Each structure stands twice: as structure tokens, then as C-alpha cells.
Amino acid sequence: MTDSILTALAYLCLATALLPAILAAVNLAVLRRPAVETGAGLVSILIPARNEAGNIDATVRAALASAAVPVEVIVGDDHSTDATAEIVRAVGDPRLRLVPVPALPDGWTGKNHACSHMAGLARGDHLLFIDADVRLEAGAAAALAAQARRTGAALVSGVPRQRTDTVGEMLTVPMIDFLLLGFLPVPLMRRLSDPLLGAACGQLILMDRGAYAATGGHGAIRTSLHDGVRLPRLFRAAGYRTDLVAAAALATCRMYDGFAQAWAGFSKNAHEGMATPRALPIWTFLLGCGQILPPLLVLAGLLGLLPNSALTPAVLALGLSLATRTAVTVAVRAPWATIPLHPAAVAVALAIQWNVLLRRERAGAATWKGRSYPVSGG
């Protein structure tokens, strides 16, 4: 009886490992780096910044180095108490504007308020929002604008190459690419207008100016901490097309510095993603069976604790899981260490989500950049 249960569990692991393997293979085949095309339309690169003295100089200079398309760069200084504003002023480029962000009104999150304020001052046909730790490659703005023109998409996004300099970052950040590539059916997303298929990366989002104004842009999601989810859904609900591209060659971002910061960062918007009573048990089943259990079952088999009928599907499940992670790692230019660390990274991701869900008032408190926001979501 026990052997039958273990064998059934191993085959269940194989099935749940197969799903993201197939989706990742399809998505990696269709997601391409957009070609750079010379354009005449102005692209406004908008950078919200709050206490970003360590990042802002390199970010602004990389944005100003954009080629093949005219750009203006606007930095919204959101009440920084460090040298952020002085560093921006020292750049001294006529295409660069430093604007103070007004005091945060009730009912807004800081990033959305800063982005909405900058959008109202921008002159470009396209608005390219980037985080203050994102370094654009020279052709990024032109490539994203060209993709929008070719596809008719009002919103184009992609995940920059993620710099992960510590083991703690490798245990957290790489899940962004794995979840996107392994569980979002990109061909279906492009074919259907369902808002639930909308996805973006808040680090790098280009939007059509007219569509942004028509939908309300960041003002329409003012309470959200997850613009990468809410903006594409907002656009698609209004009848606009959104698209994703392979962006690892377009920009680089070091999202967090160490494990503690990554844990806090991913916790702040978990309640708007996986950490809901309905969604998280499903994600736990899919990720736990397909990515965490296979190495444990294989280890048990090597110790003689698993019947041969279960060991074979367990080995196949582990192979699929690590092969999927390897393909994603190569595509997004992640460190090789993300492959052996993958089962642990999945476990950490689920731990963050369950911590937020079960300890909602404490662990799920949305605190970031010195501001706290009320946690909502179901």
C-alpha cells in the first residue's frame, strides 16, 4: 500500500514538473529581444527616486545614453533625505529634468504617486517607467518603442537581467523569471484579451501616452504595490493590447542587496499576488510537487526508502525541474548557481508567501522606503 502511494506521488511530481517545462519551452521560443529601429517619436524615461544616492547616477547616465530614438529623462525626487537630488543636478544634461514629487496624498502608494506626477509632465509619445536601480542598454528605449509600433501594443514590458550578487539574492530573485516563463502562456496572452493573462515587470514598462491617459495609468491603481500585475490588467480591461519581450539584453537591475532585503521586498506586495487564501494552496501544490518534492524523493530512493516503481518517475521529475531552471537561467543570463539552488529557492518563495498570508498583520505589513501602507487583498 505504501509503495503504491509513493509511486502515485512520484508520478504526480512528474506531471506537475512537466507543466512549467512545456510552458517554459514554448515561451522561450516565442519571447524574443525586440529589434532596435530608429524612431522619430520622443520617449520619456521616467525614474521615481526616493533615497537612491547609490544608484541614481548610473541609472540616469545609462538612460541618457539611449540611442536610435530621442529621449527625455525625468527623475521624480520623492522627498529623498540623502544626496539623490544633488547627484541628479550634477549630471548637467539638457534632456534631463529633476522634479520634486508633491507630498503623498492619502490613498496612494509612493511609487504610483511619483509615476503619475512625472507622467503629467512628460512630453513623449511613449512613457518608459524604470526603477532607480535599472540600467538601460543603449538600444532599450528604441527597441521597446519599436515593439509597441510593430505589435500595436499599448504596453510593452520585460524582465531586465537580474544581478544577484549574494546567495540570499539567488534564493529569492530568480523566481521572478521562473514563474513568468513557467506559468504564463505567452502565446495565449498575445491571442486573448483576458485581463487575467496580463503580466509585466514593474522595473521596466513602456506605455503609450494616450492609452495611459485614457486608462488613468498609475492613478487608477493608486493603492497598489504591484504595478507589474495591475497595469497590464488595467490596460487589457480597457481594450488595449499588452505584450512581453525578452529583456535580459535590454536592461540590468540589482533588485535587492542580500536576503533580508529581498525577503522584505517580496513580502510587501505578496498579498496582491500569490498570498491569498484561494491562490496560495494551488501554487503550493504545483510548486511543491513539481519542484521541491522530486529531489527529496530521489534522495529517499538513493537511501533505499523508495520503491523502484517510484524512483524512475521521481528522477524524471527532478530532471525536468532542473532542465527547466537551466533553460531559464541561460535565457535570462542568471548565475549558474541558480540551478542547484532551485528547489531551495522555490521553498523560500513559498515560505515568503505563507508567512505573509498566515501572519498578515505583521509579516504582510506593506512597509517600504520608510513608508507603511495598509494591507488589502483577499
Side-chain angles (χ1 to χ4, degrees):
M1 185 67 175
T2 303
D3 287 359
S4 298
I5 293 173
L6 289 173
T7 300
L9 179 60
Y11 275 104
L12 184 61
C13 290
L14 178 58
T16 49
L18 187 60
L19 172 64
I22 293 173
L23 280 174
V26 172
N27 289 338
L28 290 173
V30 300
L31 282 176
R32 291 283 183 264
R33 173 185 175 177
V36 177
E37 295 179 5
T38 301
L42 179 70
V43 175
S44 296
I45 302 176
L46 310 178
I47 310 170
R50 179 174 168 86
N51 294 330
E52 294 286 356
N55 283 312
I56 199 65
D57 183 71
T59 297
V60 166
R61 292 185 186 279
L64 289 168
S66 297
V69 68
V71 300
E72 65 168 354
V73 178
I74 301 177
V75 177
D77 179 28
D78 191 4
H79 303 271
S80 297
T81 56
D82 62 5
T84 296
E86 289 79 2
I87 292 170
V88 175
R89 291 190 192 100
V91 174
D93 191 297
R95 298 169 297 163
L96 172 64
R97 281 188 282 164
L98 173 69
V99 300
V101 176
L104 184 65
D106 290 340
W108 284 79
T109 56
K111 179 181 178 181
N112 286 333
H113 183 239
C115 288
S116 179
H117 179 67
M118 290 186 292
L121 302 174
R123 298 187 292 258
D125 301 322
H126 285 103
L127 310 177
L128 176 54
F129 295 91
I130 65 171
D131 285 352
D133 48 12
V134 171
R135 312 289 190 265
L136 294 175
E137 296 298 324
L144 291 168
Q147 180 75 4
R149 290 194 301 270
R150 280 193 301 268
T151 63
L155 182 152
V156 178
S157 182
V159 181
R161 184 177 72 83
Q162 301 296 310
R163 269 188 57 199
T164 50
D165 295 351
T166 68
V167 173
E169 292 163 67
M170 294 182 202
L171 284 170
T172 49
V173 176
M175 286 300 293
I176 296 173
D177 288 299
F178 181 79
L179 291 173
L180 183 68
L181 292 168
F183 291 93
L184 176 70
V186 172
L188 198 62
M189 179 270 291
R190 288 175 170 171
R191 187 173 298 113
L192 302 180
S193 59
D194 188 341
L196 291 178
L197 291 171
C201 176
Q203 299 168 2
L204 182 72
I205 305 181
L206 178 130
M207 288 177 271
D208 175 81
R209 179 191 180 97
Y212 183 90
T215 60
H218 288 91
I221 61 162
R222 65 189 63 190
T223 62
S224 175
L225 285 161
H226 211 330
D227 52 342
V229 170
R230 298 290 300 279
L231 282 171
R233 292 183 178 181
L234 173 72
F235 272 52
R236 292 168 76 88
Y240 293 102
R241 182 175 182 178
T242 69
D243 199 12
L244 286 169
V245 299
L250 299 182
T252 302
C253 175
R254 187 179 183 192
M255 195 175 184
Y256 300 120
D257 183 2
F259 183 77
Q261 195 180 101
W263 182 284
F266 284 114
S267 294
K268 78 178 188 296
N269 55 16
H271 62 280
E272 295 187 61
M274 294 165 60
T276 68
R278 290 183 180 180
L280 191 50
I282 297 172
W283 280 110
T284 301
F285 169 75
L286 291 172
L287 293 171
C289 287
Q291 313 299 320
I292 298 174
L293 277 181
L296 299 179
L297 289 176
V298 170
L299 178 61
L302 295 175
L303 295 175
L305 303 176
L306 202 68
N308 290 333
S309 59
L311 182 57
T312 298
V315 169
L316 290 174
L318 177 59
L320 275 175
S321 172
L322 295 181
T324 304
R325 178 65 251 183
T326 300
V328 172
T329 290
V330 171
V332 304
R333 306 181 182 183
W336 289 108
T338 58
I339 300 168
L341 288 173
H342 176 62
V346 176
V348 169
L350 289 174
I352 291 172
Q353 304 300 316
W354 279 108
N355 188 50
V356 169
L357 183 61
L358 298 179
R359 303 174 63 222
R360 199 170 188 82
E361 291 187 2
R362 290 180 58 196
T367 302
W368 197 246
K369 296 286 184 179
R371 289 171 172 153
S372 294
Y373 308 100
V375 172
S376 60

